[in-house]
Amino acid sequence: MSDLPNCPECNSQYTYEDREMFVCPECGHEWPQVAAEDIEEGERQIRDANGNLLQDGDSITVIKDLKVKGSSLVVKVGTKVKNIRLVDGDHDIDCKISGIGAMKLKSEFVKKLS
């Protein structure tokens, strides 16, 4: 059969390739091929919105206004965050933002500072 990975959302075996992405026709989930290869090798690599590899201790900047759930606070575009920690889960970055406190962020809403 196919050597393509099963869908990480619904575990469907009917995934297909579309350019640099894998697509699940059953649930509609799309994910990059690079991330799927990393998961198969057993080491998960987290990348920012531009595709740069993130590591513990990196500094990042927020690329979109993010509302803080359960609060009227907003993390503004351009907010710089130092010394991040990568964790497993949907929100894969643990950090502390001055004026707000400890937060979890999704890597798709940040970019790495060089």
Side-chain angles (χ1 to χ4, degrees):
M1 192 147 188
S2 175
D3 60 339
L4 298 177
N6 289 351
C7 175
E9 294 292 315
C10 69
N11 204 29
S12 170
Q13 64 182 355
Y14 302 111
T15 57
Y16 62 90
E17 292 180 75
D18 185 19
R19 296 189 183 148
E20 289 104 25
M21 304 288 282
F22 288 122
V23 181
C24 175
E26 292 185 0
C27 70
H29 181 65
E30 297 181 2
W31 68 100
Q33 291 181 11
V34 174
E37 293 167 1
D38 295 341
I39 291 170
E40 287 177 4
E41 294 174 6
E43 59 180 65
R44 183 166 179 244
Q45 294 183 348
I46 299 174
R47 298 183 181 272
D48 69 358
N50 296 331
N52 298 319
L53 185 63
L54 294 173
Q55 297 178 343
D56 287 341
D58 282 345
S59 295
I60 57 172
T61 185
V62 177
I63 62 169
K64 177 182 176 183
D65 282 348
L66 302 172
K67 294 180 182 177
V68 178
K69 204 174 214 180
S71 172
S72 61
L73 298 173
V74 175
V75 179
K76 296 286 190 179
V77 169
T79 301
K80 294 179 182 171
V81 181
K82 296 179 184 176
N83 200 19
I84 64 170
R85 189 176 55 163
L86 303 177
V87 295
D88 289 332
D90 187 32
H91 292 72
D92 43 20
I93 298 173
D94 267 347
C95 61
K96 289 184 182 174
I97 299 177
S98 61
I100 295 177
M103 286 199 64
K104 291 187 176 230
L105 300 172
K106 290 186 176 184
S107 58
E108 63 195 67
F109 299 121
V110 301
K111 70 177 181 178
K112 184 176 182 176
L113 294 175
S114 46

